[in-house]
Amino acid sequence: MLRLQSIVLAKAKHFTVPSPSSLRLVKKRMIAMDLMHHSSCFLLPTIPLQRRPSLTTAQLHLCADGGANRLYDEMPLFFPQEDASDVRRRYKPDVIKGDMDSIRREVLEFYASLGTEIVDKSHDQDTTDLHKCVTYIRDSASGLDKSNLCILVVGALGGRFDHEMGNLNVICRFSYMRIVLLSNDSLIHLLPRTYCHEIHIQTSVEGPHCGLIPIGTPSKSSTTTGLQWDLNNTAMEFGGLVSTSNIVKEEKVTVQSDCDLLWTISIKKL
Amino acid sequence: MIYKHGALFHCRYKPDVINGDMDSIRKEVLDFYRSLGTKIIDKSHDQDTTDLHKCITYIWDFAPDANKSTLCILVAGALGGRYDHEMGNLNVLYCFSSLRIVLLSDDSLIYLLPRTHHHEIHIQTCVEGPHCGLIPIGAPSRSSTTTGLRWNLNNTEMRFGGLISSSNIVVGEKVTVQSDTDLLWTISIKKL
């Protein structure tokens, strides 16, 4: 579930040069924007027989409050032949953080007894549990190589809609960090407006259905390549055009926009 | 395979209309409902709008003018599943902001609060709440004001990337909302 990927940031410069007839203005307009690469390598199996990424390859495992209940209850279901406690010990989180209003007492005590760090932020009602976890990763997690950080969030979608929106808002607030929200059906991450984006599609595990969502602000101009219905300096806004039910046509999709967009792509069933 | 018992069940709960681009409905399902008299509207030529959008358009065109002002459309199954579908369904609320459309899931209820109105939301506390939220998903809000919530807004700015009102709590039986932008209202549905 949490396997860090290496991220390559490359620089690309795009030049627009006036036609010869207007060269006397001696004005060259350069649009220089960094290129950001994206790839869902974390969805690929680590060994041939597995179809989901290994939990053991992540640097850090955190549970946001009631997420620990899910881990406790559901990990043993993946290994029905094994003793549930053994499975839970093998897949214990390093940290549980949040306002602790959802985690069950016996779950908290179980993981605390195994050495999981419990960070109780119940006094802080201004941020969501996910926000608290991302802040912990950014600020507090010692010994973590943060140079190529990618945070995978499982269980962030579905359930209460206000929770889901709160989680989307976290990736918007931490737009300078790579945070990927995962559900059984989809993957979502932010494409900040400050970059040109290249999204490398792992066709064995994701696609073809995809979308680009102008979350929180209308876009006056977005441009893509690699989609069935590409955008070409197209305006997008809620109440008008939003790119949904689109289809990935090539193994590389490019996106450039004047506003932050949510990229979403379907995850293939096992 | 549809057993006799199941067939009786499905006869009692058959839709009046099936509308869409027909790329998802199974053939035996289509044939079954058609045989019961369900109207089938094939809009497969229209790839510019979602299936929900097509259905709302149908309802709007079909409803008598006298009933349009009191029309309320409930949509079950609009959330969860593919995320681009969910966003497309939220967008339908914005596209038809003059209509009352309520999206329902197992956990939540969502509808649009158009900026053109001052809103009073009467809470049915036996079936909904207390968790709620106000979401400026389409555009930032420079000023929103509420009453009846644990954390009320008072000419408060809201935007994605900053403050949005999620994990809020309804404290009374009436919530009021006024905003300079269209907001999504969402409230939790109580488990049976």
Side-chain angles (χ1 to χ4, degrees):
Chain A
M1 284 192 291
L2 292 175
R3 187 175 73 165
L4 294 183
Q5 63 184 65
S6 58
I7 298 160
V8 176
L9 285 177
K11 291 192 190 297
K13 286 189 180 156
H14 304 268
F15 298 88
T16 61
V17 182
S19 62
S21 61
S22 58
L23 270 178
R24 63 180 180 277
L25 295 175
V26 196
K27 192 172 180 181
K28 218 187 269 186
R29 187 162 68 96
M30 272 187 1
I31 306 165
M33 195 177 284
D34 288 348
L35 190 64
M36 182 180 264
H37 286 274
H38 306 268
S39 175
S40 306
C41 297
F42 47 82
L43 287 179
L44 296 174
T46 50
I47 61 176
L49 291 177
Q50 281 184 322
R51 287 298 307 275
R52 285 287 179 257
S54 167
L55 280 172
T56 59
T57 56
Q59 285 193 61
L60 192 70
H61 305 86
L62 281 94
C63 286
D65 195 357
N69 296 335
R70 296 281 303 270
L71 189 70
Y72 183 91
D73 293 338
E74 295 178 24
M75 275 318 294
L77 302 178
F78 288 102
F79 304 93
Q81 312 300 329
E82 297 186 41
D83 177 75
S85 289
D86 289 343
V87 175
R88 289 175 180 136
R89 281 192 197 90
R90 196 159 76 242
Y91 291 104
K92 74 172 180 67
D94 300 299
V95 181
I96 297 172
K97 185 173 178 186
D99 63 5
M100 304 302 167
D101 64 351
S102 302
I103 188 171
R104 299 197 308 268
R105 188 172 168 72
E106 71 272 18
V107 173
L108 186 64
E109 288 173 356
F110 176 80
Y111 287 124
S113 73
L114 295 179
T116 297
E117 183 183 350
I118 310 296
V119 184
D120 185 333
K121 291 286 185 184
S122 49
H123 57 279
D124 175 2
Q125 293 297 313
D126 290 335
T127 57
T128 64
D129 292 331
L130 176 60
H131 187 125
K132 292 177 177 65
C133 286
V134 174
T135 306
Y136 177 89
I137 291 168
R138 185 192 64 189
D139 298 341
S140 309
S142 58
L144 196 64
D145 177 6
K146 297 180 193 178
S147 56
N148 286 320
L149 199 60
C150 179
I151 301 173
L152 302 183
V153 186
V154 182
L157 307 174
R160 264 176 40 202
F161 187 71
D162 66 300
H163 265 172
E164 187 177 293
M165 290 291 115
N167 291 337
L168 283 189
N169 194 35
V170 168
I171 68 176
C172 293
R173 288 182 92 154
F174 291 92
S175 58
Y176 52 90
M177 295 177 77
R178 285 181 186 267
I179 306 173
V180 180
L181 305 187
L182 291 168
S183 75
N184 286 339
D185 301 282
S186 303
L187 166 167
I188 302 171
H189 58 79
L190 197 72
L191 303 179
R193 66 186 178 280
T194 45
Y195 288 86
C196 291
H197 298 276
E198 277 188 13
I199 306 168
H200 300 267
I201 309 299
Q202 304 289 344
T203 50
S204 60
V205 292
E206 61 182 352
H209 304 283
C210 64
L212 284 161
I213 317 295
I215 185 86
T217 310
S219 164
K220 292 201 187 82
S221 173
S222 296
T223 299
T224 68
T225 64
L227 301 177
Q228 177 138 342
W229 293 282
D230 273 317
L231 307 172
N232 188 7
N233 290 317
T234 310
M236 288 203 292
E237 61 169 345
F238 275 85
L241 171 73
V242 170
S243 179
T244 64
S245 296
N246 211 329
I247 302 277
V248 171
K249 296 302 281 184
E250 295 169 27
E251 291 198 343
K252 188 173 84 174
V253 169
T254 68
V255 183
Q256 191 169 351
S257 178
D258 64 333
C259 87
D260 294 348
L261 296 178
L262 281 187
W263 164 256
T264 179
I265 188 166
S266 54
I267 292 177
K268 289 184 172 168
K269 301 293 179 200
L270 291 172
Chain B
M1 181 184 293
I2 299 173
Y3 294 96
K4 188 178 179 189
H5 171 77
L8 288 173
F9 177 89
H10 292 301
C11 285
R12 197 159 81 242
Y13 294 102
K14 74 173 181 66
D16 301 300
V17 181
I18 297 173
N19 189 339
D21 64 5
M22 304 299 161
D23 64 351
S24 303
I25 188 170
R26 299 196 309 269
K27 186 168 164 46
E28 71 272 19
V29 173
L30 187 61
D31 292 343
F32 178 79
Y33 286 124
R34 180 185 280 126
S35 72
L36 295 180
T38 297
K39 186 172 178 185
I40 310 297
I41 302 177
D42 185 333
K43 291 282 190 185
S44 48
H45 57 278
D46 175 2
Q47 293 297 313
D48 290 334
T49 56
T50 64
D51 292 331
L52 176 60
H53 194 289
K54 293 175 177 65
C55 287
I56 304 292
T57 305
Y58 176 86
I59 292 169
W60 179 254
D61 292 341
F62 176 80
D65 284 339
N67 292 342
K68 278 189 163 81
S69 60
T70 56
L71 199 59
C72 181
I73 301 171
L74 302 183
V75 186
L79 307 175
R82 260 174 46 198
Y83 205 69
D84 66 304
H85 268 170
E86 185 171 309
M87 285 287 130
N89 291 337
L90 292 179
N91 190 36
V92 167
L93 299 185
Y94 279 77
C95 290
F96 294 92
S97 58
S98 59
L99 284 182
R100 286 178 187 267
I101 306 171
V102 181
L103 304 187
L104 291 166
S105 75
D106 288 341
D107 302 282
S108 303
L109 164 166
I110 306 169
Y111 53 84
L112 193 75
L113 303 179
R115 66 185 178 282
T116 46
H117 289 74
H118 184 115
H119 300 277
E120 275 189 14
I121 305 168
H122 299 267
I123 309 298
Q124 306 291 339
T125 51
C126 57
V127 291
E128 62 182 351
H131 303 283
C132 64
L134 285 160
I135 317 294
I137 201 170
S141 165
R142 285 204 202 93
S143 172
S144 295
T145 300
T146 67
T147 63
L149 302 177
R150 170 85 57 88
W151 294 282
N152 276 314
L153 307 172
N154 187 5
N155 290 316
T156 310
E157 280 187 36
M158 287 204 292
R159 63 177 181 86
F160 269 84
L163 169 76
I164 70 169
S165 179
S166 63
S167 296
N168 211 328
I169 302 277
V170 170
V171 290
E173 290 193 342
K174 187 172 88 173
V175 170
T176 67
V177 182
Q178 193 164 355
S179 177
D180 65 335
T181 191
D182 296 343
L183 295 177
L184 287 181
W185 163 256
T186 179
I187 189 165
S188 54
I189 293 175
K190 289 184 172 168
K191 303 294 181 197
L192 291 172

